[in-house]
Amino acid sequence: MGEAERGEAAPRVIISFYCANKHETRPSFASDCQVPETWDCPRCGLPAGTDSANPPAAPKNEPYKTHLAYVKERRSDADGQAILDEALGKLRERRRLVQAAMAAAARN
C-alpha cells in the first residue's frame, strides 16, 4: 500500500529528546501538533527533555510502606496506646469469662 492509496502524509517535524544518561531520542511528530515537554527514553526508561544541557531528573520512587507505617502516619502515639489498651481490655475480659466458664464446668 503506497502513499497514493493512503493519501498525503502529514508534514512531520523531528524533535530531539535527551535523558539524564545522555541518550538521544528523535521521535517525529505532526508539524501542527503540540510537542510534549518530556518523552520516555526507550533505552533506559528515564524521562527525556528537549534541552540536552538540562535533562529532567529521574523520578524519585517511594519505598514500600507497610500497613503499620501508614497507620503511624495517621495516628499519634497516644491514639495508638488508647486503641491498644482498649483491645487488650476486651481480650482480658473475654479470657476471664472463658476461665470462669471452664471453672464452673469443672465443678459440675
Side-chain angles (χ1 to χ4, degrees):
M1 184 180 263
E3 243 181 70
E5 295 167 358
R6 289 187 282 173
E8 290 295 316
R12 311 292 281 171
V13 62
I14 296 176
I15 307 292
S16 292
F17 288 90
Y18 304 91
C19 72
N21 289 334
K22 308 294 184 204
H23 300 140
E24 180 183 9
T25 304
R26 297 174 42 95
S28 65
F29 300 93
S31 60
D32 60 346
C33 79
Q34 183 177 359
V35 176
E37 292 181 19
T38 61
W39 191 262
D40 288 341
C41 177
R43 291 179 65 191
C44 64
L46 292 176
T50 55
D51 185 2
S52 63
N54 296 312
K60 294 183 179 180
N61 292 332
E62 290 288 324
Y64 174 78
K65 288 185 182 178
T66 63
H67 176 70
L68 181 59
Y70 283 112
V71 170
K72 286 183 176 182
E73 286 179 359
R74 294 189 315 263
R75 307 245 188 229
S76 68
D77 288 343
D79 290 340
Q81 189 62 45
I83 292 169
L84 178 62
D85 290 341
E86 180 183 343
L88 287 174
K90 288 179 183 178
L91 181 65
R92 289 179 180 133
E93 178 62 21
R94 192 171 1 147
R95 184 178 294 162
R96 187 188 64 76
L97 292 173
V98 168
Q99 287 176 345
M102 288 174 62
R107 280 185 243 135
N108 292 336

